[in-house]
Amino acid sequence: MDTKYSTPLPGSLVDQHGRRISYLRLSLTDRCNLRCFYCNTCADYTFIPHQRILTYEECLQLIGLASRLGLSKVRLTGGEPLVRRDCTRFVERVLEQYPEVDLRMTTNGTLLAPEARRFRAAGLQRVNVSLDTLDRAKFQRITGRDYYSRVRRGIDACLEEGIQVKVNVVALKGINDQELPDFLRMALDNPVDVRFIEFMPVGHCSAWSTSVFWPAEDILRKAGEITVLEPDHAPGEHSGPARMYRLPEGRGRLGLISPMSDHFCARCNRFRITADGRLRTCLFSDREYSLRPLLRSPKHGPEAVLKVLQAAGRKKPFGSQLLEQFAQADDSFCRRDMNAIGG
Ligand code: SAM
């Protein structure tokens, strides 16, 4: 293990609003094998050229530095992390080098099944799988690909290996709202938390509109008409910003994540790093801090990166204030597409 980067610094990263930053979302690529209509929205989007993508060595270095500042929860995301070559080996290396890090992955699940055994052997315990519909034809309409069965196989393979799975569903009115009973059934029959996430107007060609926006409160009300829901405030539960509900006899739970209607900025503990090594301290802010030149410069190196993480962390904005400003300007909330940010 490389102890150079794992010794904690005195004090953790606390911002000007008193929020402790403890969670890093690291994007491994902006490329994806799906074309979800709401995610990579711009027809003229150009993928980040190869030489600008952080190498795995640089990602490892960043994880080590972040964990020194107390960011001990790390989520690998993308684009689709599993389309990047040797991603599974990278997961193994992270867990070998930083066993103290709570490593997770967010994936579309299409390439997951063949990797599940190695993930389990490496010690990866939690995976979030994005799945917006339980209907194969609709899946193809939403994502542009006929990969529904692959995703289901990916989920099953993880469950067989004992990896905890959360299913994330972007709530889309008129598209997947009729499927609420099916998703509840999924959480009832499987040890899987099914979490609906409000659609966010991210990216400057965002497909967001009020007509497809399905607010969390409406989902909760409709779910409550279908089944009994019991709020679950289990202490120590890693639900993040999700409000969780138990179902009678359910093996999994229903979760609601409402960044739009009931923002959780006061509790936000996140840093995001894009695949080209840009730190974003708030999903809704396009202010980015470029870490790649520092990582690559023999003159600067790790100490300079630490300083930027610390300085940027202190200035972490309150996203809800940005949302209000954007709403007044009638603009999309941030210019970067979600596939480049990582969700
Ligand atoms: N490819 C991986 C996946 O599918 O999970 C990781 C990257 S993807 C950008 C991360 C998450 O962001 C997915 O769950 C996706 O559905 C979600 N997402 C993308 N655009 C969104 C939007 N505008 N509003 C809400 N969620 C969004």
Side-chain angles (χ1 to χ4, degrees):
M1 177 180 150
D2 185 351
T3 47
K4 193 164 72 164
Y5 297 122
S6 60
T7 323
L9 291 181
S12 42
L13 204 49
V14 178
D15 77 356
Q16 58 187 335
H17 304 288
R19 298 173 293 183
R20 195 168 75 79
I21 302 158
S22 56
Y23 176 15
L24 176 68
R25 295 179 68 99
L26 178 63
S27 173
L28 296 183
T29 176
D30 61 338
R31 289 163 202 262
C32 187
N33 55 348
L34 299 184
R35 291 288 175 271
C36 301
F37 73 89
Y38 56 78
C39 187
N40 179 193
T41 53
C42 293
D44 59 352
Y45 180 85
T46 35
F47 289 102
I48 302 170
H50 230 65
Q51 64 278 14
R52 295 226 316 261
I53 299 280
L54 291 183
T55 63
Y56 282 140
E57 289 302 331
E58 288 163 343
C59 291
L60 281 168
Q61 205 179 359
L62 272 178
I63 291 173
L65 291 168
S67 87
R68 272 180 79 186
L69 295 174
L71 284 88
S72 54
K73 174 173 162 182
V74 176
R75 179 174 301 285
L76 305 179
T77 177
E80 171 49 40
L82 287 168
V83 301
R84 181 156 173 186
R85 201 182 323 146
D86 295 333
C87 177
T88 302
R89 179 64 201 129
F90 176 66
V91 168
E92 291 168 345
R93 289 180 68 193
V94 175
L95 289 163
E96 280 158 20
Q97 199 160 327
Y98 303 112
E100 73 283 7
V101 162
D102 174 4
L103 186 71
R104 297 147 185 235
M105 177 181 284
T106 288
T107 168
N108 62 32
T110 55
L111 302 168
L112 193 52
E115 312 306 317
R117 183 157 295 172
R118 265 176 83 189
F119 280 159
R120 181 60 192 168
L124 187 71
Q125 290 174 17
R126 295 185 178 86
V127 170
N128 287 1
V129 178
S130 307
L131 180 62
D132 300 330
T133 176
L134 299 173
D135 177 272
R136 180 179 158 189
K138 202 188 289 180
F139 183 94
Q140 189 164 4
R141 286 199 295 279
I142 293 175
T143 67
R145 303 285 186 269
D146 185 15
Y147 290 163
Y148 175 71
S149 315
R150 288 200 199 190
V151 182
R152 294 308 298 258
R153 278 202 297 278
I155 293 173
D156 291 343
C158 284
L159 293 177
E160 275 160 30
E161 293 295 333
I163 297 174
Q164 188 190 308
V165 177
K166 289 178 188 167
V167 168
N168 287 339
V169 187
V170 179
L172 300 163
K173 194 155 75 186
I175 296 176
N176 59 14
D177 50 345
Q178 297 302 316
E179 292 188 64
L180 183 56
D182 306 324
F183 278 113
L184 288 170
R185 168 61 56 195
M186 183 183 211
L188 205 60
D189 294 342
N190 301 279
V192 161
D193 286 346
V194 176
R195 308 181 321 161
F196 283 87
I197 305 175
E198 284 177 349
F199 185 19
M200 294 177 277
V202 170
H204 75 281
C205 308
S206 173
W208 194 92
S209 78
T210 46
S211 60
V212 278
F213 180 66
W214 186 20
E217 279 323 300
D218 195 39
I219 303 173
L220 183 59
R221 191 177 48 76
K222 293 216 166 73
E225 288 166 8
I226 299 168
T227 182
V228 176
L229 297 172
E230 198 184 315
D232 190 353
H233 309 293
E237 187 48 53
H238 301 280
S239 301
R243 284 177 282 156
M244 301 304 300
Y245 297 86
R246 278 198 295 269
L247 315 172
E249 316 277 319
R251 301 179 70 200
R253 300 174 297 173
L254 171 71
L256 297 169
I257 305 179
S258 41
M260 299 298 292
S261 63
D262 181 17
H263 66 81
F264 31 81
C265 299
R267 286 178 288 128
C268 182
N269 58 356
R270 298 169 182 205
F271 266 2
R272 294 176 167 82
I273 295 181
T274 61
D276 53 349
R278 291 169 169 274
L279 169 68
R280 295 177 68 100
T281 58
C282 170
L283 176 61
F284 297 120
S285 168
D286 276 323
R287 175 85 202 263
E288 294 181 346
Y289 303 81
S290 186
L291 303 177
R292 183 171 37 89
L294 298 179
L295 283 167
R296 290 188 181 173
S297 146
K299 199 169 95 214
H300 292 99
E303 292 307 317
V305 176
L306 275 174
K307 279 199 187 121
V308 173
L309 294 175
Q310 285 169 313
R314 276 193 291 276
K315 285 190 272 181
K316 182 174 158 68
F318 232 71
S320 57
Q321 289 165 359
L322 298 171
L323 287 177
E324 278 165 29
Q325 287 166 20
F326 282 122
Q328 278 163 17
D330 198 17
D331 198 356
S332 65
F333 295 121
C334 69
R335 318 286 308 166
R336 277 255 207 187
D337 270 358
M338 202 62 128
N339 66 305
I341 301 174

